Amino acid sequence: NVESRVSGLPWDADAETVSDFIESIANTIVTVSRPGRDDYTGKVEGVEYIEAPPSRKANGREGVYKLNIRQVS
């Protein structure tokens, strides 16, 4: 699950909104929260779109994203 906690940034389950958000956070400092584990702060060092079957949703950008996050604290 991905959740934006950036003030003023709209968020919903629409695939295009999610794609735009994920693609915009490269080189951003984020907090990573995982169930049953401690939160940590990291820098998004890579965002890779892993191709999915063609879709009319989100201009064909609906699919799986891989984020590389380096822990900074």
Side-chain angles (χ1 to χ4, degrees):
N1 294 328
V2 177
E3 178 183 353
S4 170
R5 293 192 176 135
V6 178
S7 175
L9 184 65
W11 183 259
D12 61 26
D14 177 77
E16 187 169 4
T17 301
V18 174
S19 297
D20 289 344
F21 174 76
I22 291 173
E23 292 169 1
S24 74
I25 63 172
N27 298 313
T28 300
I29 301 295
V30 297
T31 300
V32 178
S33 299
R34 300 168 294 171
R37 295 178 156 181
D38 291 338
D39 293 355
Y40 70 90
T41 301
K43 181 177 181 182
V44 179
E45 293 190 333
V47 176
E48 177 184 357
Y49 175 70
I50 300 172
E51 192 171 339
S55 170
R56 291 188 312 268
K57 296 180 180 178
N59 296 322
R61 288 168 30 234
E62 180 182 54
V64 177
Y65 282 83
K66 176 182 176 184
L67 280 74
N68 295 319
I69 302 174
R70 179 177 53 88
Q71 185 169 347
V72 294
S73 69

Short mmCIF file of all heavy atoms in Angstrom, two decimals:
data_model
loop_
_atom_site.label_atom_id
_atom_site.label_comp_id
_atom_site.label_asym_id
_atom_site.label_seq_id
_atom_site.Cartn_x
_atom_site.Cartn_y
_atom_site.Cartn_z
N ASN A 1 0.84 -1.19 0.00
CA ASN A 1 0.00 0.00 0.00
C ASN A 1 0.88 1.24 0.00
O ASN A 1 1.90 1.27 0.64
CB ASN A 1 -0.89 0.02 1.24
CG ASN A 1 -1.89 -1.11 1.23
OD1 ASN A 1 -2.34 -1.54 0.18
ND2 ASN A 1 -2.23 -1.60 2.41
N VAL A 2 0.46 2.23 -0.71
CA VAL A 2 1.17 3.51 -0.75
C VAL A 2 0.19 4.58 -0.31
O VAL A 2 -0.96 4.58 -0.70
CB VAL A 2 1.66 3.82 -2.18
CG1 VAL A 2 2.32 5.18 -2.23
CG2 VAL A 2 2.62 2.75 -2.66
N GLU A 3 0.66 5.46 0.53
CA GLU A 3 -0.20 6.52 1.02
C GLU A 3 0.56 7.83 0.98
O GLU A 3 1.69 7.91 1.46
CB GLU A 3 -0.64 6.23 2.45
CG GLU A 3 -1.51 7.31 3.04
CD GLU A 3 -1.88 7.03 4.49
OE1 GLU A 3 -1.56 5.93 4.98
OE2 GLU A 3 -2.46 7.91 5.12
N SER A 4 -0.04 8.84 0.42
CA SER A 4 0.57 10.17 0.41
C SER A 4 0.16 10.91 1.67
O SER A 4 -1.02 11.03 1.95
CB SER A 4 0.13 10.96 -0.81
OG SER A 4 0.55 12.31 -0.66
N ARG A 5 1.13 11.41 2.38
CA ARG A 5 0.83 12.25 3.53
C ARG A 5 1.32 13.67 3.28
O ARG A 5 1.53 14.43 4.20
CB ARG A 5 1.48 11.66 4.78
CG ARG A 5 0.84 10.32 5.14
CD ARG A 5 1.24 9.85 6.51
NE ARG A 5 0.53 8.62 6.81
CZ ARG A 5 1.07 7.55 7.33
NH1 ARG A 5 2.34 7.53 7.63
NH2 ARG A 5 0.35 6.49 7.58
N VAL A 6 1.54 13.99 2.01
CA VAL A 6 1.99 15.32 1.63
C VAL A 6 0.79 16.24 1.63
O VAL A 6 -0.19 15.99 0.95
CB VAL A 6 2.66 15.29 0.24
CG1 VAL A 6 3.09 16.69 -0.17
CG2 VAL A 6 3.84 14.34 0.22
N SER A 7 0.88 17.31 2.37
CA SER A 7 -0.22 18.26 2.48
C SER A 7 -0.61 18.80 1.12
O SER A 7 0.23 19.23 0.34
CB SER A 7 0.20 19.41 3.39
OG SER A 7 -0.78 20.40 3.43
N GLY A 8 -1.91 18.77 0.85
CA GLY A 8 -2.42 19.35 -0.38
C GLY A 8 -2.34 18.46 -1.60
O GLY A 8 -2.80 18.82 -2.67
N LEU A 9 -1.72 17.29 -1.48
CA LEU A 9 -1.62 16.39 -2.62
C LEU A 9 -2.81 15.46 -2.63
O LEU A 9 -3.02 14.72 -1.67
CB LEU A 9 -0.32 15.58 -2.55
CG LEU A 9 -0.04 14.66 -3.74
CD1 LEU A 9 0.17 15.49 -5.01
CD2 LEU A 9 1.20 13.83 -3.47
N PRO A 10 -3.64 15.50 -3.68
CA PRO A 10 -4.81 14.64 -3.71
C PRO A 10 -4.41 13.17 -3.81
O PRO A 10 -3.37 12.84 -4.37
CB PRO A 10 -5.56 15.09 -4.96
CG PRO A 10 -4.52 15.69 -5.84
CD PRO A 10 -3.49 16.28 -4.91
N TRP A 11 -5.22 12.31 -3.27
CA TRP A 11 -4.93 10.89 -3.29
C TRP A 11 -6.25 10.13 -3.41
O TRP A 11 -7.21 10.42 -2.74
CB TRP A 11 -4.23 10.45 -2.00
CG TRP A 11 -3.85 9.01 -2.05
CD1 TRP A 11 -4.51 7.98 -1.45
CD2 TRP A 11 -2.77 8.42 -2.73
NE1 TRP A 11 -3.90 6.78 -1.72
CE2 TRP A 11 -2.84 7.03 -2.51
CE3 TRP A 11 -1.76 8.92 -3.54
CZ2 TRP A 11 -1.90 6.14 -3.05
CZ3 TRP A 11 -0.83 8.04 -4.06
CH2 TRP A 11 -0.92 6.67 -3.82
N ASP A 12 -6.28 9.18 -4.30
CA ASP A 12 -7.42 8.28 -4.40
C ASP A 12 -6.94 6.98 -5.02
O ASP A 12 -5.76 6.80 -5.28
CB ASP A 12 -8.59 8.91 -5.16
CG ASP A 12 -8.26 9.26 -6.60
OD1 ASP A 12 -7.36 8.63 -7.19
OD2 ASP A 12 -8.89 10.16 -7.14
N ALA A 13 -7.86 6.08 -5.27
CA ALA A 13 -7.50 4.76 -5.78
C ALA A 13 -7.42 4.73 -7.30
O ALA A 13 -7.17 3.69 -7.88
CB ALA A 13 -8.50 3.72 -5.29
N ASP A 14 -7.62 5.87 -7.96
CA ASP A 14 -7.56 5.93 -9.40
C ASP A 14 -6.13 5.60 -9.87
O ASP A 14 -5.16 6.17 -9.41
CB ASP A 14 -7.95 7.34 -9.86
CG ASP A 14 -7.84 7.52 -11.34
OD1 ASP A 14 -8.72 7.03 -12.06
OD2 ASP A 14 -6.84 8.13 -11.77
N ALA A 15 -6.03 4.67 -10.82
CA ALA A 15 -4.71 4.20 -11.26
C ALA A 15 -3.84 5.33 -11.81
O ALA A 15 -2.63 5.35 -11.57
CB ALA A 15 -4.88 3.11 -12.31
N GLU A 16 -4.41 6.28 -12.50
CA GLU A 16 -3.62 7.37 -13.05
C GLU A 16 -3.04 8.26 -11.95
O GLU A 16 -1.88 8.67 -12.01
CB GLU A 16 -4.44 8.21 -14.02
CG GLU A 16 -3.62 9.24 -14.75
CD GLU A 16 -4.36 9.90 -15.89
OE1 GLU A 16 -5.55 9.61 -16.08
OE2 GLU A 16 -3.73 10.72 -16.57
N THR A 17 -3.83 8.53 -10.91
CA THR A 17 -3.36 9.32 -9.78
C THR A 17 -2.21 8.61 -9.06
O THR A 17 -1.19 9.22 -8.73
CB THR A 17 -4.50 9.59 -8.78
OG1 THR A 17 -5.54 10.30 -9.46
CG2 THR A 17 -4.03 10.42 -7.60
N VAL A 18 -2.37 7.32 -8.85
CA VAL A 18 -1.32 6.54 -8.19
C VAL A 18 -0.05 6.54 -9.03
O VAL A 18 1.05 6.77 -8.52
CB VAL A 18 -1.80 5.09 -7.92
CG1 VAL A 18 -0.67 4.24 -7.37
CG2 VAL A 18 -3.00 5.08 -6.99
N SER A 19 -0.18 6.32 -10.33
CA SER A 19 0.99 6.32 -11.22
C SER A 19 1.71 7.65 -11.19
O SER A 19 2.94 7.70 -11.07
CB SER A 19 0.56 5.99 -12.65
OG SER A 19 0.01 4.71 -12.74
N ASP A 20 0.95 8.74 -11.30
CA ASP A 20 1.56 10.08 -11.26
C ASP A 20 2.32 10.29 -9.96
O ASP A 20 3.43 10.83 -9.95
CB ASP A 20 0.50 11.16 -11.42
CG ASP A 20 -0.07 11.23 -12.83
OD1 ASP A 20 0.55 10.67 -13.76
OD2 ASP A 20 -1.13 11.85 -12.99
N PHE A 21 1.72 9.89 -8.84
CA PHE A 21 2.35 10.08 -7.53
C PHE A 21 3.65 9.28 -7.44
O PHE A 21 4.70 9.81 -7.08
CB PHE A 21 1.40 9.67 -6.42
CG PHE A 21 2.03 9.69 -5.06
CD1 PHE A 21 2.26 10.89 -4.41
CD2 PHE A 21 2.42 8.52 -4.43
CE1 PHE A 21 2.87 10.93 -3.16
CE2 PHE A 21 3.03 8.55 -3.19
CZ PHE A 21 3.25 9.75 -2.55
N ILE A 22 3.59 8.01 -7.78
CA ILE A 22 4.78 7.16 -7.66
C ILE A 22 5.90 7.66 -8.55
O ILE A 22 7.06 7.72 -8.14
CB ILE A 22 4.43 5.69 -7.96
CG1 ILE A 22 3.55 5.13 -6.84
CG2 ILE A 22 5.68 4.85 -8.13
CD1 ILE A 22 3.01 3.74 -7.10
N GLU A 23 5.56 8.07 -9.77
CA GLU A 23 6.58 8.54 -10.68
C GLU A 23 7.17 9.89 -10.26
O GLU A 23 8.27 10.24 -10.68
CB GLU A 23 6.01 8.64 -12.10
CG GLU A 23 5.70 7.26 -12.67
CD GLU A 23 4.89 7.30 -13.96
OE1 GLU A 23 4.57 8.42 -14.43
OE2 GLU A 23 4.56 6.22 -14.48
N SER A 24 6.48 10.62 -9.40
CA SER A 24 6.96 11.94 -8.98
C SER A 24 7.85 11.91 -7.73
O SER A 24 8.42 12.93 -7.38
CB SER A 24 5.77 12.87 -8.72
OG SER A 24 5.13 12.53 -7.49
N ILE A 25 7.98 10.76 -7.07
CA ILE A 25 8.71 10.75 -5.79
C ILE A 25 10.16 10.30 -5.90
O ILE A 25 10.82 10.11 -4.88
CB ILE A 25 7.97 9.93 -4.72
CG1 ILE A 25 7.85 8.45 -5.10
CG2 ILE A 25 6.62 10.55 -4.40
CD1 ILE A 25 7.31 7.56 -3.99
N ALA A 26 10.69 10.15 -7.10
CA ALA A 26 12.11 9.82 -7.24
C ALA A 26 12.95 10.90 -6.57
O ALA A 26 12.63 12.08 -6.64
CB ALA A 26 12.48 9.69 -8.71
N ASN A 27 14.01 10.48 -5.88
CA ASN A 27 14.92 11.38 -5.17
C ASN A 27 14.26 12.11 -4.01
O ASN A 27 14.72 13.16 -3.59
CB ASN A 27 15.57 12.38 -6.13
CG ASN A 27 16.40 11.70 -7.17
OD1 ASN A 27 17.20 10.81 -6.86
ND2 ASN A 27 16.21 12.05 -8.42
N THR A 28 13.19 11.55 -3.48
CA THR A 28 12.47 12.15 -2.37
C THR A 28 12.76 11.36 -1.10
O THR A 28 12.92 10.14 -1.13
CB THR A 28 10.95 12.12 -2.66
OG1 THR A 28 10.70 12.86 -3.85
CG2 THR A 28 10.15 12.72 -1.53
N ILE A 29 12.81 12.05 0.03
CA ILE A 29 12.94 11.39 1.32
C ILE A 29 11.55 10.97 1.77
O ILE A 29 10.61 11.78 1.75
CB ILE A 29 13.57 12.33 2.37
CG1 ILE A 29 14.97 12.79 1.91
CG2 ILE A 29 13.63 11.66 3.73
CD1 ILE A 29 16.00 11.68 1.79
N VAL A 30 11.39 9.71 2.14
CA VAL A 30 10.10 9.16 2.52
C VAL A 30 10.22 8.39 3.83
O VAL A 30 11.31 8.02 4.25
CB VAL A 30 9.55 8.20 1.42
CG1 VAL A 30 9.31 8.94 0.12
CG2 VAL A 30 10.48 7.02 1.21
N THR A 31 9.09 8.16 4.46
CA THR A 31 9.02 7.28 5.62
C THR A 31 8.42 5.97 5.15
O THR A 31 7.36 5.96 4.53
CB THR A 31 8.15 7.88 6.74
OG1 THR A 31 8.72 9.13 7.15
CG2 THR A 31 8.06 6.94 7.94
N VAL A 32 9.10 4.88 5.45
CA VAL A 32 8.63 3.55 5.06
C VAL A 32 8.04 2.88 6.29
O VAL A 32 8.72 2.73 7.31
CB VAL A 32 9.77 2.70 4.47
CG1 VAL A 32 9.28 1.31 4.12
CG2 VAL A 32 10.38 3.40 3.26
N SER A 33 6.76 2.52 6.20
CA SER A 33 6.07 1.85 7.30
C SER A 33 5.68 0.45 6.83
O SER A 33 5.07 0.31 5.78
CB SER A 33 4.80 2.61 7.69
OG SER A 33 5.12 3.90 8.12
N ARG A 34 6.05 -0.55 7.63
CA ARG A 34 5.72 -1.93 7.28
C ARG A 34 5.11 -2.60 8.51
O ARG A 34 5.62 -2.45 9.62
CB ARG A 34 6.98 -2.68 6.86
CG ARG A 34 7.66 -2.06 5.65
CD ARG A 34 9.03 -2.61 5.40
NE ARG A 34 9.90 -2.22 6.52
CZ ARG A 34 11.12 -2.68 6.70
NH1 ARG A 34 11.64 -3.54 5.87
NH2 ARG A 34 11.84 -2.28 7.72
N PRO A 35 4.03 -3.33 8.32
CA PRO A 35 3.39 -3.99 9.46
C PRO A 35 4.37 -4.90 10.19
O PRO A 35 5.11 -5.66 9.57
CB PRO A 35 2.27 -4.81 8.82
CG PRO A 35 2.00 -4.15 7.50
CD PRO A 35 3.33 -3.58 7.06
N GLY A 36 4.41 -4.76 11.51
CA GLY A 36 5.26 -5.62 12.33
C GLY A 36 6.72 -5.26 12.34
O GLY A 36 7.54 -5.98 12.92
N ARG A 37 7.10 -4.17 11.70
CA ARG A 37 8.50 -3.74 11.65
C ARG A 37 8.59 -2.26 12.00
O ARG A 37 7.63 -1.52 11.87
CB ARG A 37 9.09 -3.96 10.26
CG ARG A 37 9.17 -5.41 9.86
CD ARG A 37 9.71 -5.48 8.47
NE ARG A 37 10.32 -6.78 8.22
CZ ARG A 37 10.89 -7.10 7.09
NH1 ARG A 37 10.94 -6.24 6.11
NH2 ARG A 37 11.42 -8.29 6.93
N ASP A 38 9.76 -1.83 12.40
CA ASP A 38 9.97 -0.41 12.70
C ASP A 38 9.92 0.42 11.42
O ASP A 38 10.34 -0.04 10.35
CB ASP A 38 11.33 -0.20 13.36
CG ASP A 38 11.40 -0.78 14.77
OD1 ASP A 38 10.32 -0.97 15.38
OD2 ASP A 38 12.51 -1.06 15.24
N ASP A 39 9.40 1.64 11.54
CA ASP A 39 9.43 2.58 10.43
C ASP A 39 10.88 3.03 10.22
O ASP A 39 11.69 3.00 11.14
CB ASP A 39 8.59 3.82 10.74
CG ASP A 39 7.11 3.52 10.83
OD1 ASP A 39 6.70 2.36 10.57
OD2 ASP A 39 6.35 4.45 11.18
N TYR A 40 11.19 3.44 8.99
CA TYR A 40 12.49 4.04 8.74
C TYR A 40 12.37 5.12 7.68
O TYR A 40 11.42 5.16 6.93
CB TYR A 40 13.56 3.00 8.36
CG TYR A 40 13.38 2.37 6.99
CD1 TYR A 40 13.97 2.94 5.87
CD2 TYR A 40 12.67 1.19 6.83
CE1 TYR A 40 13.84 2.35 4.61
CE2 TYR A 40 12.54 0.60 5.58
CZ TYR A 40 13.13 1.19 4.49
OH TYR A 40 12.99 0.60 3.24
N THR A 41 13.37 6.01 7.67
CA THR A 41 13.43 7.08 6.68
C THR A 41 14.38 6.65 5.59
O THR A 41 15.45 6.12 5.86
CB THR A 41 13.92 8.38 7.33
OG1 THR A 41 13.01 8.73 8.38
CG2 THR A 41 13.96 9.52 6.33
N GLY A 42 13.97 6.88 4.35
CA GLY A 42 14.81 6.49 3.23
C GLY A 42 14.66 7.44 2.07
O GLY A 42 13.76 8.27 2.03
N LYS A 43 15.57 7.32 1.12
CA LYS A 43 15.53 8.13 -0.09
C LYS A 43 15.16 7.22 -1.26
O LYS A 43 15.76 6.16 -1.45
CB LYS A 43 16.88 8.78 -0.36
CG LYS A 43 16.89 9.65 -1.60
CD LYS A 43 18.23 10.33 -1.79
CE LYS A 43 18.17 11.22 -3.02
NZ LYS A 43 19.47 11.85 -3.27
N VAL A 44 14.17 7.64 -2.03
CA VAL A 44 13.75 6.87 -3.21
C VAL A 44 14.82 7.09 -4.28
O VAL A 44 14.93 8.17 -4.84
CB VAL A 44 12.36 7.32 -3.71
CG1 VAL A 44 11.97 6.51 -4.94
CG2 VAL A 44 11.33 7.16 -2.61
N GLU A 45 15.62 6.05 -4.53
CA GLU A 45 16.71 6.17 -5.49
C GLU A 45 16.35 5.62 -6.85
O GLU A 45 17.09 5.81 -7.80
CB GLU A 45 17.95 5.47 -4.94
CG GLU A 45 18.50 6.17 -3.72
CD GLU A 45 19.84 5.64 -3.30
OE1 GLU A 45 20.14 4.46 -3.57
OE2 GLU A 45 20.60 6.42 -2.69
N GLY A 46 15.25 4.94 -6.96
CA GLY A 46 14.85 4.42 -8.25
C GLY A 46 13.38 4.08 -8.28
O GLY A 46 12.83 3.57 -7.30
N VAL A 47 12.73 4.39 -9.38
CA VAL A 47 11.34 4.03 -9.61
C VAL A 47 11.30 3.34 -10.96
O VAL A 47 11.68 3.92 -11.97
CB VAL A 47 10.41 5.26 -9.62
CG1 VAL A 47 8.98 4.85 -9.94
CG2 VAL A 47 10.47 6.00 -8.30
N GLU A 48 10.88 2.09 -10.96
CA GLU A 48 10.84 1.32 -12.19
C GLU A 48 9.43 0.79 -12.42
O GLU A 48 8.86 0.16 -11.55
CB GLU A 48 11.82 0.15 -12.10
CG GLU A 48 11.82 -0.76 -13.31
CD GLU A 48 12.74 -1.96 -13.14
OE1 GLU A 48 13.44 -2.06 -12.10
OE2 GLU A 48 12.73 -2.81 -14.03
N TYR A 49 8.91 1.08 -13.60
CA TYR A 49 7.61 0.55 -13.96
C TYR A 49 7.83 -0.82 -14.58
O TYR A 49 8.58 -0.96 -15.54
CB TYR A 49 6.91 1.47 -14.95
CG TYR A 49 5.59 0.91 -15.46
CD1 TYR A 49 4.50 0.81 -14.62
CD2 TYR A 49 5.46 0.47 -16.76
CE1 TYR A 49 3.30 0.29 -15.06
CE2 TYR A 49 4.26 -0.05 -17.21
CZ TYR A 49 3.18 -0.13 -16.37
OH TYR A 49 2.00 -0.65 -16.81
N ILE A 50 7.23 -1.83 -13.99
CA ILE A 50 7.33 -3.19 -14.51
C ILE A 50 6.11 -3.41 -15.39
O ILE A 50 4.98 -3.36 -14.93
CB ILE A 50 7.40 -4.22 -13.37
CG1 ILE A 50 8.64 -3.92 -12.52
CG2 ILE A 50 7.43 -5.63 -13.93
CD1 ILE A 50 8.72 -4.73 -11.26
N GLU A 51 6.35 -3.62 -16.65
CA GLU A 51 5.27 -3.67 -17.63
C GLU A 51 4.22 -4.71 -17.27
O GLU A 51 4.52 -5.80 -16.82
CB GLU A 51 5.83 -3.99 -19.01
CG GLU A 51 4.83 -3.77 -20.12
CD GLU A 51 5.46 -3.87 -21.50
OE1 GLU A 51 6.68 -3.71 -21.59
OE2 GLU A 51 4.72 -4.10 -22.45
N ALA A 52 2.99 -4.31 -17.45
CA ALA A 52 1.84 -5.17 -17.20
C ALA A 52 1.07 -5.32 -18.51
O ALA A 52 1.35 -4.60 -19.47
CB ALA A 52 0.97 -4.56 -16.12
N PRO A 53 0.10 -6.20 -18.56
CA PRO A 53 -0.71 -6.30 -19.78
C PRO A 53 -1.31 -4.95 -20.13
O PRO A 53 -1.63 -4.16 -19.25
CB PRO A 53 -1.80 -7.30 -19.39
CG PRO A 53 -1.22 -8.09 -18.28
CD PRO A 53 -0.33 -7.14 -17.53
N PRO A 54 -1.44 -4.65 -21.42
CA PRO A 54 -2.00 -3.35 -21.82
C PRO A 54 -3.34 -3.08 -21.16
O PRO A 54 -4.14 -3.97 -20.96
CB PRO A 54 -2.17 -3.50 -23.34
CG PRO A 54 -1.21 -4.56 -23.72
CD PRO A 54 -1.13 -5.49 -22.55
N SER A 55 -3.54 -1.82 -20.80
CA SER A 55 -4.76 -1.42 -20.12
C SER A 55 -5.20 -0.07 -20.63
O SER A 55 -4.37 0.78 -20.97
CB SER A 55 -4.51 -1.34 -18.61
OG SER A 55 -5.59 -0.74 -17.96
N ARG A 56 -6.51 0.15 -20.69
CA ARG A 56 -7.02 1.47 -21.06
C ARG A 56 -6.96 2.42 -19.87
O ARG A 56 -7.07 3.62 -20.02
CB ARG A 56 -8.46 1.35 -21.55
CG ARG A 56 -8.57 0.63 -22.88
CD ARG A 56 -9.97 0.69 -23.45
NE ARG A 56 -11.00 0.33 -22.49
CZ ARG A 56 -11.49 -0.89 -22.32
NH1 ARG A 56 -11.03 -1.88 -23.04
NH2 ARG A 56 -12.43 -1.12 -21.43
N LYS A 57 -6.77 1.89 -18.67
CA LYS A 57 -6.71 2.72 -17.47
C LYS A 57 -5.34 3.40 -17.39
O LYS A 57 -4.33 2.83 -17.73
CB LYS A 57 -6.94 1.89 -16.21
CG LYS A 57 -8.31 1.26 -16.14
CD LYS A 57 -8.45 0.46 -14.88
CE LYS A 57 -9.82 -0.18 -14.79
NZ LYS A 57 -9.94 -0.99 -13.57
N ALA A 58 -5.32 4.59 -16.89
CA ALA A 58 -4.08 5.33 -16.61
C ALA A 58 -3.18 5.42 -17.83
O ALA A 58 -1.97 5.36 -17.71
CB ALA A 58 -3.34 4.72 -15.43
N ASN A 59 -3.78 5.54 -19.01
CA ASN A 59 -2.98 5.63 -20.23
C ASN A 59 -2.00 4.48 -20.36
O ASN A 59 -0.86 4.65 -20.77
CB ASN A 59 -2.25 6.97 -20.29
CG ASN A 59 -3.19 8.13 -20.37
OD1 ASN A 59 -4.22 8.05 -21.04
ND2 ASN A 59 -2.89 9.22 -19.68
N GLY A 60 -2.42 3.29 -19.95
CA GLY A 60 -1.58 2.11 -20.06
C GLY A 60 -0.54 1.98 -18.98
O GLY A 60 0.33 1.13 -19.05
N ARG A 61 -0.58 2.82 -17.93
CA ARG A 61 0.43 2.80 -16.89
C ARG A 61 -0.04 2.06 -15.65
O ARG A 61 0.58 2.14 -14.60
CB ARG A 61 0.85 4.22 -16.53
CG ARG A 61 1.67 4.84 -17.64
CD ARG A 61 1.90 6.33 -17.51
NE ARG A 61 1.94 6.85 -16.19
CZ ARG A 61 1.18 7.87 -15.77
NH1 ARG A 61 0.30 8.42 -16.58
NH2 ARG A 61 1.30 8.33 -14.57
N GLU A 62 -1.12 1.33 -15.73
CA GLU A 62 -1.58 0.55 -14.59
C GLU A 62 -0.76 -0.72 -14.54
O GLU A 62 -0.65 -1.44 -15.52
CB GLU A 62 -3.05 0.22 -14.72
CG GLU A 62 -3.58 -0.59 -13.56
CD GLU A 62 -5.04 -0.94 -13.76
OE1 GLU A 62 -5.37 -1.52 -14.82
OE2 GLU A 62 -5.84 -0.63 -12.88
N GLY A 63 -0.14 -1.01 -13.41
CA GLY A 63 0.69 -2.20 -13.30
C GLY A 63 1.45 -2.19 -11.99
O GLY A 63 1.02 -1.62 -11.00
N VAL A 64 2.64 -2.77 -12.02
CA VAL A 64 3.46 -2.91 -10.82
C VAL A 64 4.66 -1.97 -10.92
O VAL A 64 5.29 -1.86 -11.97
CB VAL A 64 3.95 -4.37 -10.70
CG1 VAL A 64 4.87 -4.54 -9.51
CG2 VAL A 64 2.77 -5.32 -10.58
N TYR A 65 4.94 -1.30 -9.80
CA TYR A 65 6.12 -0.44 -9.72
C TYR A 65 7.10 -1.04 -8.73
O TYR A 65 6.71 -1.59 -7.71
CB TYR A 65 5.74 0.96 -9.23
CG TYR A 65 5.12 1.83 -10.27
CD1 TYR A 65 3.77 1.75 -10.56
CD2 TYR A 65 5.89 2.74 -10.98
CE1 TYR A 65 3.20 2.55 -11.53
CE2 TYR A 65 5.33 3.55 -11.96
CZ TYR A 65 3.99 3.45 -12.23
OH TYR A 65 3.43 4.25 -13.18
N LYS A 66 8.38 -0.90 -9.03
CA LYS A 66 9.44 -1.31 -8.10
C LYS A 66 10.15 -0.03 -7.65
O LYS A 66 10.58 0.77 -8.47
CB LYS A 66 10.44 -2.22 -8.81
CG LYS A 66 11.62 -2.60 -7.95
CD LYS A 66 12.59 -3.47 -8.73
CE LYS A 66 13.81 -3.78 -7.89
NZ LYS A 66 14.79 -4.54 -8.68
N LEU A 67 10.22 0.17 -6.33
CA LEU A 67 10.91 1.32 -5.78
C LEU A 67 12.16 0.85 -5.06
O LEU A 67 12.10 -0.08 -4.25
CB LEU A 67 10.01 2.07 -4.78
CG LEU A 67 8.97 3.01 -5.37
CD1 LEU A 67 7.83 2.23 -5.98
CD2 LEU A 67 8.48 3.96 -4.33
N ASN A 68 13.29 1.49 -5.34
CA ASN A 68 14.52 1.23 -4.61
C ASN A 68 14.68 2.36 -3.61
O ASN A 68 14.79 3.53 -3.99
CB ASN A 68 15.72 1.20 -5.56
CG ASN A 68 15.64 0.05 -6.53
OD1 ASN A 68 15.26 -1.05 -6.16
ND2 ASN A 68 15.97 0.31 -7.79
N ILE A 69 14.67 2.00 -2.33
CA ILE A 69 14.75 2.98 -1.26
C ILE A 69 15.96 2.68 -0.39
O ILE A 69 16.09 1.59 0.15
CB ILE A 69 13.47 2.99 -0.41
CG1 ILE A 69 12.26 3.28 -1.31
CG2 ILE A 69 13.57 3.99 0.73
CD1 ILE A 69 10.93 3.16 -0.61
N ARG A 70 16.86 3.65 -0.28
CA ARG A 70 18.05 3.51 0.55
C ARG A 70 17.77 4.13 1.92
O ARG A 70 17.37 5.28 2.02
CB ARG A 70 19.25 4.21 -0.08
CG ARG A 70 20.53 4.10 0.77
CD ARG A 70 21.72 4.74 0.09
NE ARG A 70 21.49 6.10 -0.32
CZ ARG A 70 21.70 7.17 0.43
NH1 ARG A 70 22.11 7.05 1.67
NH2 ARG A 70 21.47 8.38 -0.04
N GLN A 71 17.97 3.34 2.96
CA GLN A 71 17.71 3.83 4.33
C GLN A 71 18.72 4.91 4.67
O GLN A 71 19.92 4.76 4.45
CB GLN A 71 17.81 2.68 5.33
CG GLN A 71 17.43 3.08 6.72
CD GLN A 71 17.29 1.88 7.64
OE1 GLN A 71 17.24 0.74 7.20
NE2 GLN A 71 17.22 2.13 8.92
N VAL A 72 18.21 6.02 5.21
CA VAL A 72 19.09 7.13 5.60
C VAL A 72 19.08 7.38 7.10
O VAL A 72 19.88 8.16 7.59
CB VAL A 72 18.75 8.44 4.83
CG1 VAL A 72 19.03 8.28 3.36
CG2 VAL A 72 17.33 8.88 5.07
N SER A 73 18.16 6.76 7.81
CA SER A 73 18.18 6.86 9.29
C SER A 73 17.40 5.74 9.90
O SER A 73 16.72 5.01 9.25
CB SER A 73 17.62 8.20 9.75
OG SER A 73 16.24 8.29 9.50
#
